[in-house]
Amino acid sequence: ARGFSVGVFGAYSIDGGNIEDSIDEKRYQESIHNYPYITKSEYDTVIIPGSGFFAMYQFSNGLFIRAGAEYNRLVSGGDVAKSVYDTQAGAMINYNYKIDYEAFSWPVLFGFSLSPDKGRTSFYLAAGVITSLVKIERNTEIYNTDTMTHVPYNSENDTIISGFAGVIGAEKKILWNISIMLEYAFYRCEENRKESGKYYTMNTYEYTERYGLPRQQARIGLKYSF
């Protein structure tokens, strides 16, 4: 039916995107001399939940426009501890990584919905553009057991990026004008940037940071139609 509606949802990232890729690199990447023997690797499952709200206007022909705000945060999996025996250095090297990630997003979607039972159940799909503010903080400690040298690397950066977002979903009216929603969301919103960080608190180093949103999410939410 034609008219305005508002909704809220919770989300779970099926594919954490570039931040999950980056954490996996820390788990399995080779040592600085490329001759590693990984003797220990400790980490938790990557979990990136999210939430959001939206406002939507649906036209009588089934077309609709939807805009809102979303938030995603890494709550598990960002801490990685690894010990590597480096044959070239002839020493055990301990790595400790801590990665914090959060993202604020503002999607604008255009879509089409179809109801086979006069509005009680609807199926819909939408696509559009999304703008995101992505924040990443990295703290790395490297300890060489032979030379007993301890090197901390720290960086904190954020950037605004834009990309593509899409949603496929279904909703079922459960009470008055309230509907329950199930959605699958997908994003293509990633970008590489040159950044700098600090080690020993005074010296700087440069590296490439990849910013982005989770690539796939499962969602459940509620919608109220006016």
Side-chain angles (χ1 to χ4, degrees):
R2 177 179 176 178
F4 283 101
S5 58
V6 294
V8 295
F9 62 84
Y12 178 82
S13 296
I14 303 168
D15 181 344
N18 67 284
I19 191 66
E20 187 170 348
D21 295 343
S22 178
I23 293 170
D24 284 342
E25 283 181 9
K26 300 304 182 188
R27 293 173 177 175
Y28 308 120
Q29 73 181 8
E30 295 182 347
S31 72
I32 56 175
H33 294 116
N34 299 316
Y35 297 101
Y37 291 94
I38 297 177
T39 61
K40 182 190 75 172
S41 187
E42 297 178 350
Y43 49 83
D44 295 322
T45 302
V46 175
I47 299 176
I48 308 175
S51 61
F53 68 89
F54 63 86
M56 173 177 155
Y57 184 79
Q58 181 155 326
F59 301 92
S60 56
N61 59 3
L63 297 176
F64 65 85
I65 181 172
R66 168 173 151 174
E70 302 174 7
Y71 176 72
N72 295 284
R73 184 179 182 85
L74 176 70
V75 299
S76 174
D79 296 319
V80 179
K82 183 173 65 176
S83 295
V84 172
Y85 184 76
D86 195 310
T87 56
Q88 184 167 327
M92 185 72 71
I93 301 178
N94 298 325
Y95 298 83
N96 287 285
Y97 306 99
K98 180 176 176 59
I99 300 175
D100 292 318
Y101 164 89
E102 62 180 346
F104 301 86
S105 308
W106 301 273
V108 178
L109 306 175
F110 300 89
F112 176 77
S113 66
L114 177 67
S115 176
D117 55 6
K118 299 182 179 180
R120 293 188 299 274
T121 305
S122 297
F123 303 94
Y124 56 91
L125 57 87
V129 296
I130 188 166
T131 301
S132 304
L133 172 62
V134 178
K135 299 183 177 184
I136 299 175
E137 181 179 351
R138 297 177 181 270
N139 296 288
T140 303
E141 293 183 353
I142 302 175
Y143 179 71
N144 187 313
T145 59
D146 180 49
T147 60
M148 291 187 292
T149 54
H150 173 269
V151 183
Y153 291 82
N154 303 302
S155 66
E156 183 176 358
N157 308 97
D158 59 70
T159 192
I160 295 176
I161 56 176
S162 297
F164 170 83
V167 172
I168 300 172
E171 65 179 68
K172 176 72 174 180
K173 188 172 291 186
I174 56 175
L175 184 66
W176 299 307
N177 292 333
I178 299 175
S179 301
I180 188 170
M181 307 164 54
L182 296 175
E183 291 187 342
Y184 164 76
F186 50 94
Y187 303 94
R188 290 297 177 266
C189 187
E190 299 180 7
E191 182 177 286
N192 287 326
R193 291 206 176 193
K194 293 288 186 181
E195 298 288 3
S196 63
K198 291 184 178 293
Y199 64 97
Y200 287 133
T201 70
M202 296 177 293
N203 302 311
T204 61
Y205 66 98
E206 293 186 347
Y207 64 100
T208 299
E209 182 72 85
R210 187 162 182 82
Y211 295 91
L213 294 177
R215 297 189 186 111
Q216 300 179 61
Q217 283 187 334
R219 297 173 172 176
I220 184 169
L222 293 173
K223 187 178 85 169
Y224 179 81
S225 301
F226 295 95

